[in-house]
Amino acid sequence: SQQGEEDPQALSIQEGENATMNCSYKTSINNLQWYRQNSGRGLVHLILIRSNEREKHSGRLRVTLDTSKKSSSLLITASRAADTASYFCATAPRTQGGSEKLVFGKGTKLTVNP
Amino acid sequence: DADVTQTPRNRITKTGKRIMLECSQTKGHDRMYWYRQDPGLGLRLIYYSFDVKDINKGEISDGYSVSRQAQAKFSLSLESAIPNQTALYFCATGTGALETQYFGPGTRLLVL
């Protein structure tokens, strides 16, 4: 079963605009990660936010985490055509004995038009 | 050179055939993972390994088997391929699920 669900499934914006993607999950987590996938290629790690963190930045990326709402958002500022990709959230569920697996959502497909 | 490599990159096979997908890594990580990606379903975990002697089933292990030949090598086998195993397969490595995972470029498999 999916732990993380991204919203929206698809997003189309103009270059220079900001893009916001959301991820909701069901169970308590140790951390939440965001990955990017260019068409047909492997996933690339973008950012990891731990359960005791509320916000994290990396370049043009800003990730927030609200554990009370079991949700996270990924903001890409000043988007570029090269940001066109699918973005996945992945959670490390907190389980008895420790979690050793990441559970991926279905992804948001972002298109940035030049 | 890529840190995580997969061979082959593309494979077409017929129903009932046995095939093996191979993964090698130079990152020195103990943990290795095999995922399957289908359109609209995201990534699903097939098998994972914490070290050479430790193999664990993931969410969708039926119809698949794995072998961890060395710390750097983790192979996925389809003993008797069927059409619904047509998918994009990814290998990944990591130091633990609490940390970043590093993905290979993927193997696109078509079972006719």
Side-chain angles (χ1 to χ4, degrees), chain A residues 31 33 35 37 45 100, chain B residues 31 37 50 97-99 101:
Chain A
N31 69 50
Q33 304 180 32
Y35 287 80
Q37 183 183 32
H45 179 259
E100 293 294 346
Chain B
R31 288 167 168 77
Q37 185 178 33
F50 292 164
L98 302 186
E99 306 301 332
Q101 290 190 12

Side-chain angles (χ1 to χ4, degrees), chain A residues 38-104:
Chain A
N38 288 78
S39 181
R41 299 192 169 212
L43 279 72
V44 175
H45 179 259
L46 294 176
I47 200 163
L48 181 154
I49 186 165
R50 302 190 190 280
S51 60
N52 62 351
E53 297 176 310
R54 292 296 167 257
E55 188 170 311
K56 209 160 182 182
H57 296 257
S58 177
R60 294 184 295 112
L61 305 181
R62 173 180 169 245
V63 168
T64 62
L65 179 64
D66 187 334
T67 53
S68 67
K69 295 181 179 179
K70 292 186 170 61
S71 67
S72 173
S73 67
L74 169 66
L75 168 68
I76 304 174
T77 60
S79 64
R80 306 167 181 168
D83 294 328
T84 294
S86 291
Y87 293 82
F88 295 87
C89 71
T91 55
R94 184 172 293 152
T95 60
Q96 191 173 13
S99 169
E100 293 294 346
K101 295 179 286 186
L102 283 181
V103 181
F104 286 82

Side-chain angles (χ1 to χ4, degrees), chain B residues 31-106:
Chain B
R31 288 167 168 77
M32 297 187 74
Y33 307 83
W34 274 104
Y35 292 92
R36 166 179 172 159
Q37 185 178 33
D38 298 274
L41 292 181
L43 272 75
R44 292 181 290 169
L45 183 63
I46 306 172
Y47 270 96
Y48 59 106
S49 170
F50 292 164
D51 62 38
V52 174
K53 297 180 180 179
D54 187 87
I55 304 289
N56 303 278
K57 292 183 177 181
E59 183 184 350
I60 52 164
S61 58
D62 288 348
Y64 302 95
S65 63
V66 290
S67 174
R68 185 80 183 267
Q69 300 95 325
Q71 187 204 37
K73 296 185 182 296
F74 193 34
S75 300
L76 175 72
S77 293
L78 286 68
E79 297 300 326
S80 180
I82 56 177
N84 77 0
Q85 291 177 313
T86 292
L88 189 53
Y89 290 85
F90 288 104
C91 172
T93 73
T95 56
L98 302 186
E99 306 301 332
T100 301
Q101 290 190 12
Y102 298 85
F103 283 79

